[in-house]
């Protein structure tokens, strides 16, 4: 059983990494977005392997099913073209690759110091819907609510910035019909 | 009850094959039923020539679609163009994996639920899978490289994302009452005739409305409005690739009907009598199918009755009516649950 888990972990871990690399590499926005969806899906499977069903499906529902749909939607709506190669990209690559390895090293060291092997293998009871609810709405109620207010402020700000005054149509498909005409239709 | 792995795999395989076979033939015959019922509503006869009462018509249609010329327009993004119908149909069929059709049964000394697999967040699984379904449509429209397809898929994208919210929020009420996301536990919580349709009638109506929008059915079939968009997102698809989109639309209809049955109508509950095989297997399955069939009939009935909404009306209904009412329903239900 452990072997099967290991094989699945390797497959989906590799898929997640490949998707991430492809997202950075691809010049076409739509393929970049699709690679990101692949990463989200592979991560969801990894959560499933850890026994975290709730988080896995919420990951699919929220990230792949809602956020990425909006990304793809915007890319299609604006008909975003592939980006031309950028001068500064080479500089970023030179700096970025070592940075990735340093970051990975720090993370691995932190995990190795903090968690013993046995404890990692045992898994965490935190994954059930009830315990997640307890954590969010009891122990972490204040930060949770503060975050939601933060999001609300963000949304209000985005609407304020995006809404231009003196335009009557809001939707993309809204016909420019006056209310008086509409009632006569 | 410990069963050997081999037997477990065998039972799982039998259940999967059986469910897929039933689903596939059901899709074909829902479509025939739709043609006959809509024909009757319009004082026509519908297909009657192939087989008795037209019963072999789906078979003839399948052959026709298989034998038709498969055209791939030259300006498409070929990989995604091929992938889109496959995504659509895979995701549409995936959700039946967690739908329970009946109670746990004992057969040949083994115990198994009438369901491919049970997971304790089954409802979330179905919502997650249906939320991905939009990619099939959106990618089809984009990769076709045609303005009608693109407009259709943009409409589908915004419509499905908007109504998914109302759909999910409507299901929160029954989930709160049942205290679980496990579909079997939701059904068990309705035992004894306490169907959630009565306390959660508001949620039921919102779910039903959102389900029509999620499956792109009339009156919300704007993604394929033939009067203005050719055929919408599948304009450039032909033969079997078109059939796959068609297939997934009906599979999605069946899925939302099954979820409505499970969450609001008590699943397979109903009067049972007689010997064990009748009262434990056949009658529960019968009641489940009857309830699901009612919803499928409703889909067809509405198609024969209502005209199509305008796009801004659709968005206004979703965001200004359904979502606020669903939120209020969640609030009231949680207060009641907390009070008890």
């Amino acid at each position: 059983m452990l072997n099967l888990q290991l094989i699945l972990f390797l497959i989906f871990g590799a898929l997640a990494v490949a998707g991430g690399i492809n997202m950075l590499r691809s010049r076409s926005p739509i393929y970049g977005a699709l690679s990101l969806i692949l990463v989200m899906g592979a991560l969801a499977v990894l959560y499933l392997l850890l026994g975290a069903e709730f988080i896995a499906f919420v990951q699919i529902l929220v990230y792949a099913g809602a956020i990425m749909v909006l990304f793809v939607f915007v890319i299609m709506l604006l008909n975003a073209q592939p980006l031309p190669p950028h001068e500064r990209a080479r500089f970023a690559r030179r700096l970025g690759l070592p940075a990735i390895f340093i970051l990975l090293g720090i993370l691995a060291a932190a995990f190795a110091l903090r968690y013993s092997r046995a404890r990692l293998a045992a898994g965490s009871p935190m994954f059930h819907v009830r315990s997640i609810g307890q954590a969010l709405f009891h122990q972490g109620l204040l930060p949770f609510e503060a975050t939601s207010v933060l999001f609300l402020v963000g949304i209000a700000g985005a609407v304020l910035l995006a809404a231009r005054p003196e335009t009557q149509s809001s939707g993309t498909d809204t016909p420019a019909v006056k209310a008086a005409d509409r009632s006569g239709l | 009850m410990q069963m050997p792995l081999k037997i477990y795999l065998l039972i799982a395989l039998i259940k999967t094959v059986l469910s897929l076979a039933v689903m596939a033939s059901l899709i074909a015959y829902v479509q025939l039923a739709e043609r006959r019922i809509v024909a009757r509503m319009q004082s026509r006869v519908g297909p009657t020539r192939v087989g008795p009462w037209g019963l072999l018509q789906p078979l003839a249609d399948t052959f026709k679609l298989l034998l038709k010329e498969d055209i791939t327009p030259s300006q498409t993004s070929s990989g995604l163009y091929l992938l889109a119908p496959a995504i659509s149909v895979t995701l549409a069929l995936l959700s039946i994996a967690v739908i329970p059709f009946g109670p746990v049964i004992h057969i040949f000394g083994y115990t198994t639920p009438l369901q491919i697999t049970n997971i304790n967040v089954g409802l979330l699984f179905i919502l997650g899978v249906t939320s991905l379904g939009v990619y099939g449509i959106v990618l089809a429209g984009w990769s076709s490289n045609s303005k009608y397809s693109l407009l259709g898929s943009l409409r589908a994208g915004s419509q499905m994302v908007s109504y998914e919210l109302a759909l999910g929020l409507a299901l929160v009420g029954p989930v709160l009452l049942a205290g679980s996301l496990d579909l079997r536990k939701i059904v068990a919580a309705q035992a004894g005739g306490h169907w959630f349709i009565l306390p959660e009638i508001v949620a039921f109506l919102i779910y039903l409305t959102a389900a029509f929008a999620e499956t792109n059915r009339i009156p919300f079939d704007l993604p394929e409005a033939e009067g203005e968009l050719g055929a919408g997102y599948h304009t450039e698809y032909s033969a079997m690739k078109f059939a796959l989109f068609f297939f997934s639309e009906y599979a999605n209809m069946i899925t939302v009907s099954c979820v409505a049955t499970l969450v609001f109508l008590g699943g397979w509950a109903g009067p049972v009598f007689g010997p064990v095989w009748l009262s434990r297997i056949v009658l529960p399955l019968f009641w489940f199918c009857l309830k699901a069939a009612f919803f499928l009939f409703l889909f067809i009935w509405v198609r024969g009755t209502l005209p199509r909404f305008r796009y801004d009306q659709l968005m206004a209904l979703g965001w200004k009516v359904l979502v606020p009412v669903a939120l209020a329903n969640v609030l009231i239900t949680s207060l009641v649950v907390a009070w008890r």
Side-chain angles (χ1 to χ4, degrees), chain B residues 43-211:
Chain B
S43 298
R44 294 184 286 116
V45 185
T48 54
R49 294 295 161 138
V50 192
W53 306 291
L55 278 178
L56 295 179
Q57 185 69 38
L59 213 62
D61 285 345
T62 312
F63 270 112
K64 184 191 78 173
L65 286 163
L66 276 172
L67 296 173
K68 265 188 158 179
E69 186 186 2
D70 189 11
I71 299 165
T72 304
S74 56
Q75 298 291 310
T76 54
S77 320
S78 53
L80 290 180
Y81 179 81
L82 293 178
L83 198 62
I87 293 178
S88 245
V89 81
T90 310
L91 292 172
L93 289 178
L94 196 58
S95 20
I96 59 162
V98 298
I99 289 176
F101 303 104
V104 175
I105 58 164
H106 308 276
I107 192 161
F108 305 127
Y110 297 109
T111 309
T112 182
L114 283 176
Q115 176 184 18
I116 295 178
T117 180
N118 192 37
I119 54 176
N120 63 22
V121 287
L123 199 58
L124 214 56
F125 176 88
I126 293 177
L127 283 178
V129 168
T130 42
S131 75
L132 292 181
V134 64
Y135 285 115
I137 290 175
V138 163
L139 290 178
W142 185 80
S143 66
S144 292
N145 210 358
S146 138
K147 52 174 153 310
Y148 295 128
S149 303
L150 185 67
L151 283 173
S153 68
L154 283 177
R155 281 181 177 186
S158 46
Q159 171 178 330
M160 287 169 90
V161 167
S162 307
Y163 277 77
E164 214 165 73
L165 201 61
L167 189 91
L169 284 172
L171 290 174
V172 172
V175 166
L176 282 171
L177 287 183
S180 177
L181 285 163
D182 185 336
L183 287 163
R184 301 197 83 84
K185 286 190 183 140
I186 291 173
V187 171
Q190 303 172 69
H194 303 293
W195 294 358
F196 287 156
I197 184 171
L198 284 179
E200 289 290 325
I201 182 75
V202 179
F204 175 71
L205 293 175
I206 295 170
Y207 175 82
L208 215 56
T209 316

Side-chain angles (χ1 to χ4, degrees), chain B residues 240-270:
Chain B
M240 227 27 218
K241 289 209 273 298
F242 159 75
L244 288 182
F245 283 119
F246 206 65
F247 195 78
S248 47
E249 181 183 318
Y250 283 86
N252 284 330
M253 260 165 71
I254 292 173
T255 306
V256 294
S257 301
C258 288
V259 172
T261 305
L262 290 167
V263 173
F264 292 104
L265 288 190
W268 52 86

